[in-house]
Amino acid sequence: MRKFIPFVVYLMKIFFIHLKNENLPKENLERVAVNDEILILATKYISEKVVGQTSFDDCIHIATAIIYKADILLSWNFRHIVNVYRIRGYNAINLRMNYPALEIRSPKEIMEYED
């Protein structure tokens, strides 16, 4: 049987569409706004060619997690986000810009299974 660990979901207007579980407890939801600091960091990911311009929304997602100090970012996007080479690129830029490295994982990696 699967057991989920406690969490807080940060919601941004552009990512509401990605939220598929409508039964999330309201106390676990926090709305966040995209600000200039996020846009600067997201633009840096693009200018350093971690991903292409078409992945700018993904970069905003990652930069938002950094700026709002998320412990972990979960995504099913294995092409642009949950990809070891991309993660190294994002984190190299984060560290150079005096931000912390970000743990980026798929949702499967945080589920606990009871024996």
Side-chain angles (χ1 to χ4, degrees), residues 6-89:
F7 61 92
V8 173
V9 176
Y10 293 107
L11 299 176
M12 295 174 290
K13 187 176 182 182
I14 62 172
F15 293 107
F16 284 138
I17 197 165
H18 295 296
L19 193 62
K20 294 188 190 294
N21 186 347
E22 297 173 4
N23 298 319
L24 290 171
K26 299 294 184 221
E27 65 271 8
N28 292 67
L29 304 178
E30 181 178 332
R31 284 185 182 230
V32 295
V34 174
N35 58 35
D36 289 343
E37 189 176 12
I38 290 166
L39 293 174
I40 289 167
L41 184 55
T43 300
K44 188 72 169 169
Y45 298 144
I46 299 291
S47 69
E48 297 267 340
K49 302 190 183 329
V50 176
V51 290
Q53 182 66 40
T54 58
S55 299
F56 190 64
D57 283 351
D58 296 326
C59 293
I60 290 174
H61 195 173
I62 294 161
T64 301
I66 287 293
I67 301 306
Y68 282 94
K69 299 177 174 54
D71 294 322
I72 189 169
L73 180 126
L74 301 176
S75 176
W76 290 111
N77 183 337
F78 296 104
R79 186 172 191 180
H80 302 119
I81 298 178
V82 188
N83 171 311
V84 68
Y85 302 108
R86 309 273 194 224
I87 293 167
R88 287 178 183 167

